[in-house]
Amino acid sequence: MNRNCGFVVAALCFLIIHTTAWGQTSPEIERRYKAAIKLVQLGDYERAKTELQPVMQRVSALSPFAYYYHAIASFRQRNYVSTLVTVKQLLDKFPDWRKKDDANYLLGAASFEINNIDDAMQALRRVGDPEFRPEIDLMEQYFLSQVTDLNRL
């Protein structure tokens, strides 16, 4: 019985430590995140990405948002390959993130920008929120109308 009790205590400690680590955000990480969001809004994308790096590296409730805003900053810099890499990392590390539709929408937009039509269409098909549909339709219409090689369709 003592062995079972020890195992239960160890399991509870493990759960408490990992749930606490996931749920808590240090004041420094939170400060960096808030500063980065302001920098993205101001168009200072490089500084924003620098501020977001430590937030991305720590596991917290802000981590997936940090990846997303890092990808947004890269997209606005027209660095679409970096956008793709960051969004893919986000979706790999946080597959159940509640804003996954936003990430797939961004993935589709960045894929279209580098003329990767197949990946763009796949990403946009994964967007389940019907509120995105009008924007997706417009994006598809615009980029598909730019295709001159019928073999690409």
Side-chain angles (χ1 to χ4, degrees):
M1 179 146 163
N2 285 338
R3 278 188 183 174
N4 287 341
C5 185
F7 175 75
V8 170
V9 169
L12 284 174
C13 287
F14 177 81
L15 284 173
I16 289 169
I17 289 169
H18 286 287
T19 352
T20 304
W22 172 255
Q24 287 185 346
T25 303
S26 76
E28 175 63 15
I29 292 297
E30 190 171 341
R31 183 200 63 74
R32 282 179 171 265
Y33 175 78
K34 287 178 180 179
I37 300 309
K38 286 180 183 171
L39 290 167
V40 169
Q41 292 168 345
L42 293 171
D44 194 348
Y45 304 123
E46 275 309 310
R47 283 186 50 210
K49 292 192 307 186
T50 300
E51 289 293 320
L52 288 167
Q53 283 297 326
V55 184
M56 293 164 64
Q57 292 169 359
R58 276 204 59 191
V59 177
S60 76
L62 295 177
S63 298
F65 292 95
Y67 276 92
Y68 181 72
Y69 280 104
H70 192 283
I72 290 284
S74 292
F75 187 87
R76 290 188 181 160
Q77 290 177 307
R78 299 178 191 264
N79 188 343
Y80 304 118
V81 173
S82 177
T83 303
L84 294 172
V85 169
T86 305
V87 173
K88 287 177 182 178
Q89 289 173 344
L90 162 62
L91 293 171
D92 286 345
K93 291 180 186 222
F94 306 98
D96 297 324
W97 186 45
R98 64 184 172 99
K99 305 285 272 175
K100 188 165 40 172
D101 284 341
D102 295 72
N104 279 309
Y105 178 84
L106 183 57
L107 188 62
S111 295
F112 266 136
E113 290 289 353
I114 61 169
N115 294 315
N116 194 334
I117 295 168
D118 292 336
D119 286 352
M121 299 298 282
Q122 285 179 358
L124 294 174
R125 275 195 294 272
R126 288 191 296 267
V127 176
D129 185 346
E131 289 187 26
F132 281 92
R133 195 74 248 162
E135 291 181 45
I136 289 172
D137 290 343
L138 286 172
M139 187 187 325
E140 288 174 347
Q141 181 182 356
Y142 173 77
F143 282 101
L144 294 177
S145 72
Q146 304 298 310
V147 176
T148 55
D149 180 3
L150 295 180
N151 292 326
R152 302 240 334 130
L153 299 174

